[in-house]
Amino acid sequence: MPHPTLEQERLDALRALRILGSTPEPHLDAVCRIAAELFAVPIVLVLLVDETRIWFKARWGVEGEGIDREGAFCDLTIQGQAGIPLVIPDLLGDPRSADSPLVVGQPRARFYAGVPLALRSGLNLGTFCIMDRTPRPDFGARETRLLGELAVIVEAHLRLHEARVTGETDAARRLMAEGALRQSEQRFRLLAETSTDVIIWSDLDTTRRYVSPAIRTVLGYEPDELVGTKPLDFVHPEDAEAYGLVLDDLTRARIDQASTCQRYRRKDGAWVTMEVSQSLARDPVTNSPTGYVTSLRDITERKAVEDALRLSEERLALALNSGSDGLWDWDVVTGEVKLSDHWASMLAYDRSEIVPDISSWYTLIHPDDVEHSRRTLADHFDGRTAAFECEYRLRAKGGHYIWILARGKVVGRTADGVPLRVVGTHIDITRRKTDEQRIAHLALHDPLTDLPNRTLFWERLTDEIRHATAHATRFAVLTCDLDGFKGINDGFGHPAGDLLLQTVAARLLAVVRNVDTVARLGGDEFAIILSRIRHAHDAGTMATRIIEAVNRPMAFNGHTMSVGASVGIAFGTGDTHDAVALFRQSDAALYQAKAAGKNTYRFHNPSAETARAVPGSLKSEMREAMKRGDFQLLYQPIVELETGTIAGFEALMRWEHPLRGEIAPSEFIPLAEESGLIIPLGAWVLKEACRQAASWPAPLKIAVNVSAIQFQQISMEETVLRALAGSGLPPHRLELEITETILMQKTEAVTRTIRRLRDIGVRIALDDFGTGYSSLSYLHQFDIDTVKIDRSFVVAMTSPRTVTIMRAIVALAKNLGARVTVEGVETRDQLDLVRAEGCTEVQGYFFSPPLPAEGLVRLIATGPSRRAA
């Protein structure tokens, strides 16, 4: 227990603060928030300790105003030396704290670190502490130092509070003295001569007529030495102009009171900071000004504390916001730069190897970055930016350069605004820069072959057209499809198909020139830009070399694989201005090559293109249809049988061909899967369906079909999350309809994908149930939310065998917690039959055909045209 005498002095000092039970302090709450984030702890407290109670002056992570003192860790902390932290890594394992109610009861603390808070030596008024519910054996010297520095900030705020309390008391006394002065000069002199503040009476021309004896202590003058003088003769030159304007307003009675702060010269020549309060005196009868009273208080010490606190907070905030220990502190006047240990270690230097001067710093900056960093710094110095922030490279000890994010701020200026001091941080962003470069590369390159992708291909083609226009050169575009690629995928699997595509990419690169471009546009489709050719036969020769290179067999797991190549060629000249039209010509020539028996090449022939049958171009036209927006979504309602209301809609894709009219999904979906277009097409469907569903009232759901090929993509989850995030649709309102083809893969990746999608709330439906090989087993293996019974069952429900199968499906699905949706209900009799078998939801033409998005508004408002009642 503490010494009784010291304990009484401590309690007296605590009461003198008048702070127990006072309102929250935003600055102290901010320190608690910073500490909680910095140390990743749930509880941070600023505590004040009286005889029996511990008061929460600021808190983070707890409620209430305080706790009993008995059994609290703060009792141990305040008995320590001021500023010395008490750290207990495991409260339960320490005999001093193991039985504490804060350990055995709420908040069940297991870690504690606290620093005594003292205003005077030996008198610890409270603590600044952090607590965690798990032990923290890794809480080391660095963390202890940071905790101590935060405690210094808290102490500084308490000292400011003490100064404010003292100031309020002194201000009250000063007001009483000024009232007495107006009543009687005798009472004025008596009060002035007993005050610790300097009291001065001045005429309206600012000549001093009376100076109180306190001037001896504050400025070192005798009172008589200052009688007859004027204040501006003693004010610092940098403060004189602003203070002169205040005096002018006061003596001309434009204001009655003024409070300022400026530097005064002591008799020994030193400058001290004074808090100056002035009040205009008026004649009680005429109310005309007669002079003014000035009160001077020396606040040099308080000002130093405030400046130090502000600088400390700015440096701490900057360090915490940047998340780095690479700190620097630059004295602009001397050029000296103080660097933290982490700053040097980032560059692999010893501290002794770095000259602490700004000139040596600039020698480390990459020559290409010096001018940019100087301009950015000048912008901050001149006030054009609130802070200095610049990315540049610094030379490490090994001679290589690392990327640095430099942040800083001017924390001291002269009266003229000239920077005196800058503090800041350096963060190593080399990895981020590398990632940015890698992401930029991935955005323009195919991840499988590392060839330029479609985006970069179009950029290169546009650049080639510009060059041909400017220099009257000629070039060629070659479109290449692999003949027999689907057979490789089906026969050997996707790993073999991937290896084949990578091998073909390498062979194409080997036969073209460095100035040419080889791109993979998707699936088994490649494109080549032959830059600046002289003769048409150059392109033919290159096409022959390409076909020969692709034809060479390749090995896979002891097997031999081989494919062919069909190539279409179109030429561009200085008169070419339409990259899309040129590519279409090349694509048309490709199909002419395929029509000629494959594994050959053809130059673009407009007449042959005109004669070519439309069906043969369907795969090629799908790409253009996507660009033109020919694909659209229709929505068919899903009706809940129990209530007769709409539960949601299924999104159905349609293709309106400009020549052939509407093309059935059964015709174009397989082509999209074969060409790889199903990936971007499926992503568009998902994005558009979610966007539309987000405008519907909750809880209407949207059901979207997902291809097996989509599910094989690594980015499937990312595609779903991006669609949800972009639309704002809650995950539980999205239902992905998958088929047995997906589940038959039985890969760990498919299982993980389904599980993670369900974890975020997305529902999974098993589409076309009962038409595959082993559907019943999948209900046990996978978590399925909805089972969709194919319309073929509805058509055949007149058969008792079909009814028996459907009844078994419904019973099994319901036992496993899944809903049952029946597709293709077109008559009242079919509706009555599926209702009798206990199905949950139905959809079909009986209620509504698929409708465009704009046709859903009335349907959602009124319900299906024929109620399910």
Side-chain angles (χ1 to χ4, degrees):
M1 292 297 293
H3 190 279
T5 302
L6 291 178
E7 176 66 1
Q8 189 57 50
E9 290 180 12
R10 190 187 70 80
L11 293 172
D12 292 341
L14 179 63
R15 292 190 182 94
L17 282 179
R18 303 205 302 270
I19 196 171
L20 296 181
S22 59
T23 57
E25 291 276 351
H27 292 86
L28 295 180
D29 287 341
V31 173
C32 289
R33 288 196 301 272
I34 291 173
E37 182 176 353
L38 181 62
F39 299 107
V41 294
I43 300 174
V44 184
L45 296 166
V46 175
L47 306 174
L48 299 172
V49 185
D50 67 10
E51 295 97 324
T52 61
R53 186 171 176 79
I54 295 177
W55 296 80
F56 297 163
K57 181 55 187 169
R59 64 181 186 266
W60 176 266
V62 297
E63 297 296 329
E65 296 181 352
I67 58 174
D68 292 338
R69 179 175 176 179
E70 184 176 358
F73 316 130
C74 292
D75 233 347
L76 299 172
T77 308
I78 63 172
Q79 296 176 41
Q81 185 177 346
I84 303 301
L86 171 65
V87 179
I88 305 179
D90 187 351
L91 293 166
L92 194 59
D94 195 309
R96 296 174 296 175
S97 56
D99 297 328
S100 170
L102 301 179
V103 176
V104 299
Q106 291 298 328
R108 300 198 179 279
R110 290 294 304 276
F111 165 77
Y112 171 85
V115 183
L117 301 175
L119 296 186
R120 292 189 293 276
S121 177
L123 300 180
N124 296 330
L125 304 187
T127 65
F128 172 70
C129 66
I130 60 175
M131 287 188 281
D132 203 343
R133 296 186 177 93
T134 59
R136 295 285 290 269
D138 58 341
F139 197 87
R142 176 181 177 275
E143 289 79 5
T144 303
R145 174 177 57 79
L146 290 175
L147 182 66
E149 290 177 356
L150 288 175
V152 170
I153 294 176
V154 175
E155 277 192 351
H157 279 290
L158 293 178
R159 293 182 190 278
L160 287 177
H161 176 81
E162 181 183 44
R164 284 196 297 270
V165 171
T166 304
E168 290 168 0
T169 303
D170 293 342
R173 286 203 304 267
R174 185 166 62 251
L175 288 175
M176 292 175 60
E178 291 171 355
L181 176 65
R182 285 190 294 270
Q183 295 177 17
S184 167
E185 184 174 349
Q186 180 182 3
R187 293 178 62 188
F188 164 77
R189 288 181 177 272
L190 179 63
L191 181 61
E193 290 176 2
T194 58
S195 174
T196 58
D197 292 346
V198 178
I199 308 298
I200 300 173
W201 169 268
S202 301
D203 291 337
L204 292 177
D205 64 354
T206 73
T207 301
R208 293 162 171 161
R209 296 306 179 191
Y210 170 79
V211 180
S212 71
I215 196 69
R216 299 187 183 98
T217 304
V218 176
L219 293 178
Y221 296 97
E222 289 297 320
D224 291 341
E225 291 180 273
L226 296 186
V227 172
T229 63
K230 296 186 176 184
L232 289 179
D233 297 331
F234 296 83
V235 172
H236 195 285
E238 293 177 357
D239 302 339
E241 182 179 356
Y243 186 42
L245 295 175
V246 174
L247 287 177
D248 189 60
D249 287 341
L250 185 71
T251 56
R252 294 179 184 273
R254 288 193 285 264
I255 58 175
D256 282 353
Q257 291 182 325
S259 294
T260 59
C261 179
Q262 56 262 343
R263 290 163 289 180
Y264 276 74
R265 185 181 66 249
R266 285 178 49 88
K267 188 173 183 178
D268 59 9
W271 295 98
V272 293
T273 303
M274 307 293 289
E275 184 183 74
V276 184
S277 299
Q278 295 164 313
S279 296
L280 188 66
R282 295 180 180 270
D283 186 279
V285 178
T286 64
N287 200 39
S288 59
T290 60
Y292 66 94
V293 178
T294 301
S295 171
L296 299 179
R297 172 176 295 175
D298 185 355
I299 60 168
T300 304
E301 223 173 86
R302 191 183 83 191
K303 187 71 164 52
V305 171
E306 291 174 344
D307 290 343
L309 175 62
R310 187 185 70 254
L311 178 61
S312 175
E313 288 180 333
E314 288 176 344
R315 293 173 67 178
L316 177 61
L318 187 60
L320 293 176
N321 290 338
S322 66
S324 170
D325 289 333
L327 307 176
W328 49 268
D329 188 334
W330 174 22
D331 186 326
V332 182
V333 178
T334 65
E336 181 184 3
V337 180
K338 297 178 181 177
L339 303 170
S340 69
D341 291 338
H342 184 69
W343 191 98
S345 65
M346 278 195 308
L347 300 171
Y349 289 106
D350 293 327
R351 290 292 298 273
S352 59
E353 295 176 302
I354 302 294
V355 178
D357 189 85
I358 192 64
S359 59
S360 64
W361 182 345
Y362 273 110
T363 63
L364 297 177
I365 300 179
H366 193 286
D368 294 343
D369 301 337
V370 171
E371 185 58 31
H372 172 60
S373 67
R374 288 186 186 274
R375 286 199 307 270
T376 307
L377 184 62
D379 286 342
H380 177 49
F381 275 14
D382 295 340
R384 290 188 290 271
T385 57
F388 165 65
E389 184 166 330
C390 184
E391 295 180 0
Y392 51 79
R393 288 160 290 180
L394 285 179
R395 187 177 69 252
K397 186 175 181 179
H400 62 283
Y401 285 89
I402 66 172
W403 275 100
I404 290 292
L405 170 59
R407 288 175 176 159
K409 189 172 184 180
V410 173
V411 296
R413 294 181 183 267
T414 66
D416 298 333
V418 178
L420 297 174
R421 193 175 191 181
V422 187
V423 297
T425 63
H426 273 165
I427 309 171
D428 185 348
I429 59 170
T430 305
R431 178 174 294 180
R432 193 198 80 191
K433 281 290 187 178
T434 303
D435 289 343
E436 288 175 354
Q437 293 168 358
R438 182 175 59 84
I439 291 169
H441 180 83
L442 289 175
L444 297 174
H445 290 79
D446 171 52
L448 178 63
T449 63
D450 203 38
L451 292 177
N453 62 11
R454 183 180 295 272
T455 301
L456 185 54
F457 169 77
W458 285 109
E459 289 182 10
R460 298 269 180 89
L461 182 54
T462 303
D463 290 342
E464 193 64 38
I465 290 174
R466 291 197 192 101
H467 185 275
T469 302
H471 301 91
T473 56
R474 193 177 193 186
F475 65 96
V477 175
L478 282 65
T479 307
C480 174
D481 259 7
L482 303 183
D483 302 326
F485 176 72
K486 188 176 186 300
I488 297 295
N489 255 348
D490 295 343
F492 295 97
H494 289 287
D498 290 347
L499 175 63
L500 187 146
L501 291 172
Q502 290 170 333
T503 304
V504 168
R507 291 178 179 180
L508 293 178
L509 288 174
V511 299
V512 302
R513 303 165 298 170
N514 290 336
V515 295
D516 300 328
T517 295
V518 178
R520 182 189 177 206
L521 304 185
D524 62 339
E525 184 181 4
F526 296 84
I528 299 97
I529 302 173
L530 297 182
S531 179
R532 305 161 205 179
I533 61 175
R534 293 184 179 183
H535 306 288
H537 63 77
D538 292 341
T541 302
M542 180 60 71
T544 300
R545 294 174 62 187
I546 288 172
I547 294 171
E548 291 174 350
V550 172
N551 284 171
R552 293 200 306 269
M554 58 194 75
F556 177 76
N557 288 346
H559 299 282
T560 299
M561 303 182 300
S562 62
V563 292
S566 297
V567 179
I569 306 171
F571 294 101
T573 65
D575 295 328
T576 301
H577 301 291
D578 191 339
V580 175
L582 181 62
F583 180 78
R584 285 177 179 169
Q585 293 174 5
S586 176
D587 209 33
L590 169 65
Y591 280 93
Q592 293 166 19
K594 285 183 174 293
K598 302 182 180 180
N599 209 32
T600 185
Y601 69 88
R602 288 290 184 270
F603 294 106
H604 173 245
N605 184 340
S607 59
E609 181 182 4
T610 303
R612 182 166 51 91
V614 172
S617 65
L618 203 57
K619 178 178 174 183
S620 174
E621 291 185 12
M622 286 183 67
R623 299 184 180 89
E624 301 305 320
M626 290 178 64
K627 297 175 185 176
R628 292 194 304 266
D630 291 348
F631 291 97
Q632 61 175 323
L633 291 185
L634 300 181
Y635 300 89
Q636 187 173 43
I638 302 171
V639 179
E640 188 172 3
L641 277 176
E642 184 177 355
T643 63
T645 59
I646 296 175
F649 295 86
E650 179 180 4
L652 301 169
M653 185 163 47
R654 296 292 184 263
W655 180 7
E656 189 66 30
H657 193 281
L659 297 178
R660 300 179 59 189
E662 184 174 308
I663 300 176
S666 59
E667 186 175 355
F668 69 79
I669 291 295
L671 290 175
E673 292 180 331
E674 179 182 340
S675 64
L677 287 176
I678 194 65
I679 303 303
L681 194 58
W684 171 80
V685 170
L686 193 60
K687 177 182 177 182
E688 180 63 19
C690 288
R691 184 191 68 80
Q692 185 62 44
S695 66
W696 303 337
L700 292 183
K701 66 181 178 180
I702 181 67
V704 180
N705 289 279
V706 181
S707 164
I709 293 179
Q710 286 178 268
F711 237 85
Q712 294 166 5
Q713 301 300 305
I714 298 175
S715 59
M716 180 62 196
E717 295 166 64
E718 183 182 345
T719 302
V720 173
L721 291 173
R722 189 181 296 116
L724 291 172
S727 63
L729 183 72
H732 68 273
R733 291 178 58 191
L734 173 63
E735 186 169 82
L736 298 181
E737 296 188 359
I738 63 177
T739 62
E740 289 182 45
T741 307
I742 295 174
L743 302 182
M744 285 174 63
Q745 298 172 28
K746 293 184 180 179
T747 64
E748 183 64 26
V750 169
T751 304
R752 286 198 304 268
T753 299
I754 292 177
R755 184 173 64 249
R756 286 197 288 258
L757 287 172
R758 295 192 81 256
D759 286 345
I760 64 174
V762 175
R763 296 192 282 191
I764 304 296
L766 185 55
D767 198 13
D768 297 336
F769 188 80
T771 61
Y773 302 99
S774 53
S775 299
L776 293 176
S777 66
Y778 295 134
L779 293 181
H780 294 280
Q781 298 176 40
F782 298 92
D783 291 327
I784 303 297
D785 298 286
T786 302
V787 172
K788 298 198 73 173
I789 297 179
D790 186 70
R791 65 184 306 274
S792 61
F793 280 84
V794 177
V795 174
M797 281 190 71
T798 53
S799 166
R801 183 173 181 272
T802 301
V803 173
T804 301
I805 295 174
M806 178 179 284
R807 190 172 297 152
I809 293 172
V810 172
L812 177 60
K814 287 191 172 182
N815 286 336
L816 296 174
R819 301 173 67 83
V820 180
T821 302
V822 182
E823 298 179 298
V825 175
E826 299 182 357
T827 67
R828 167 64 68 177
D829 291 341
Q830 290 174 345
L831 176 64
D832 293 341
L833 285 171
V834 298
R835 187 203 303 276
E837 298 308 325
C839 298
T840 313
E841 298 168 339
V842 293
Q843 67 183 94
Y845 276 74
F846 179 74
F847 298 103
S848 171
L851 299 172
E854 56 270 16
L856 303 182
V857 178
R858 184 174 180 180
L859 186 62
I860 291 174
T862 62
S865 57
R866 304 187 189 187
R867 306 291 289 183

